[in-house]
């Protein structure tokens, strides 16, 4: 059985943010590189993003934190394989408005193989 090396998660805007986008997860030598690209929020504002347990639109607790996107982009290397993530489903990627307004979700997408 061939292992999947890439997953694209469509991030749908929430709360009228207009911040649609995607997250690309790549299997890189036993780790997962995550690249987030969403429509930019407020200029220069870090927007916390994570893999959460559960599914959109209201996932549960944070499972894996990312480098916060600034002006719509970020890159993070997670110390977990794509196959391990699959074993932990259901999972969702969530982007927050800002650290100060972390309860406001601006984008969410479910991980699917």
């Amino acid at each position: 059985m061939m292992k999947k090396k890439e997953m694209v998660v469509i991030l749908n805007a929430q709360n009228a943010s207009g911040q649609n986008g995607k997250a690309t997860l790549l299997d890189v030598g036993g780790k997962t590189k995550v690249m987030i690209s969403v429509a930019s929020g407020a200029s220069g504002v870090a927007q916390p993003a994570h893999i959460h347990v559960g599914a959109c639109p209201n996932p549960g607790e944070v499972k894996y934190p990312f480098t916060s996107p600034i002006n719509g982009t970020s890159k993070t290397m997670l110390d977990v394989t794509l196959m391990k993530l699959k074993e932990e489903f259901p999972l969702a990627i969530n982007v927050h408005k800002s650290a100060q307004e972390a309860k406001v979700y601006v984008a969410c997408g479910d991980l699917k193989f």
Side-chain angles (χ1 to χ4, degrees):
M1 185 171 96
M2 196 171 109
K3 289 199 285 186
K4 189 158 179 161
K5 298 282 188 186
E6 178 178 321
M7 177 191 316
V8 175
V9 177
I10 301 302
L11 301 174
N12 295 301
Q14 290 185 294
N15 296 308
S17 70
Q19 288 190 257
N20 291 303
K22 70 178 182 178
T24 304
L25 289 73
L26 298 171
D27 187 30
V28 180
K31 296 186 181 203
T32 300
K33 181 177 184 178
V34 181
M35 295 163 290
I36 294 176
S37 176
V38 294
S40 184
S43 182
V45 174
Q47 295 186 274
H50 316 92
I51 291 179
H52 290 255
V53 174
C56 297
N58 296 302
E61 71 270 11
V62 171
K63 183 82 176 177
Y64 300 102
F66 298 143
T67 301
S68 295
I70 297 176
N71 300 328
T73 62
S74 76
K75 291 181 183 162
T76 304
M77 190 66 80
L78 298 178
D79 196 15
V80 63
T81 65
L82 268 181
M83 292 309 292
K84 177 67 175 159
L85 287 174
K86 185 178 178 185
E87 292 168 12
E88 296 175 352
F89 280 11
L91 297 171
I93 292 177
N94 210 346
V95 181
H96 304 260
K97 186 171 182 179
S98 66
Q100 294 75 28
E101 293 183 83
K103 291 191 186 315
V104 179
Y105 299 158
V106 296
C108 193
D110 295 330
L111 277 72
K112 297 175 183 164
F113 271 88

